[in-house]
Amino acid sequence: MQALISGDEAQAFEAFYTSGNNGTGPAPHCHPWDETFFVIRGPVVFGLGHQEQPIEAGTLLHVPGGERHWWRFEVEGEFLSFTSGRQAAAMYRDLATLRADAPKSEYRAVAIRHGQQARPT
């Protein structure tokens, strides 16, 4: 994930560019900030609450803060995301310092430190 605009620059929101390969994406989670996604190339499957749906390129999806969600690339894809506040960029910056082979528990600890919560069910 690449920060396009951080909260230090925009104050009220941050913008990110994300790309990935088939099958990649985060586990179900929630966090205090709103997150809005704009799919550039997809489809990308999004889970919101307990429902999931493929989102095609050109589609905008908003996830309110505190809502359980996840996403998974079905093919090589990319999207822009916009988050409210100034918390997400710091979390992604800290996650980027972890080794690629770090245990999931290390990734989880960083996310929790920044206000994210796992929501598997």
Side-chain angles (χ1 to χ4, degrees):
M1 184 157 304
Q2 175 187 354
L4 300 175
I5 298 173
S6 74
D8 292 337
E9 298 165 307
Q11 301 299 316
F13 72 96
E14 298 174 311
F16 303 91
Y17 167 79
T18 303
S19 63
N21 297 317
N22 183 27
T24 60
H29 63 278
C30 70
H31 38 65
W33 55 85
D34 287 3
E35 193 164 19
T36 301
F37 300 90
F38 180 77
V39 176
I40 298 168
R41 186 166 42 114
V44 180
V45 174
F46 282 90
L48 187 57
H50 293 285
Q51 298 184 1
E52 67 177 65
Q53 63 182 12
I55 303 295
E56 298 293 334
T59 303
L60 185 80
L61 174 70
H62 179 71
V63 179
E67 182 77 31
R68 177 188 185 271
H69 64 286
W70 56 269
W71 50 266
R72 181 181 65 250
F73 290 109
E74 287 291 286
V75 295
E76 188 175 323
E78 56 189 332
F79 60 77
L80 296 175
S81 60
F82 304 87
T83 61
S84 62
R86 302 173 59 171
Q87 298 168 292
M91 181 182 74
Y92 295 131
R93 194 171 31 251
D94 288 352
L95 288 170
T97 67
L98 298 176
R99 298 180 332 269
D101 63 346
K104 287 185 181 183
S105 61
E106 287 184 31
Y107 283 89
R108 196 173 305 118
V110 169
I112 288 169
R113 188 170 66 241
H114 288 280
Q116 186 165 294
Q117 300 173 16
R119 296 285 180 179
T121 58

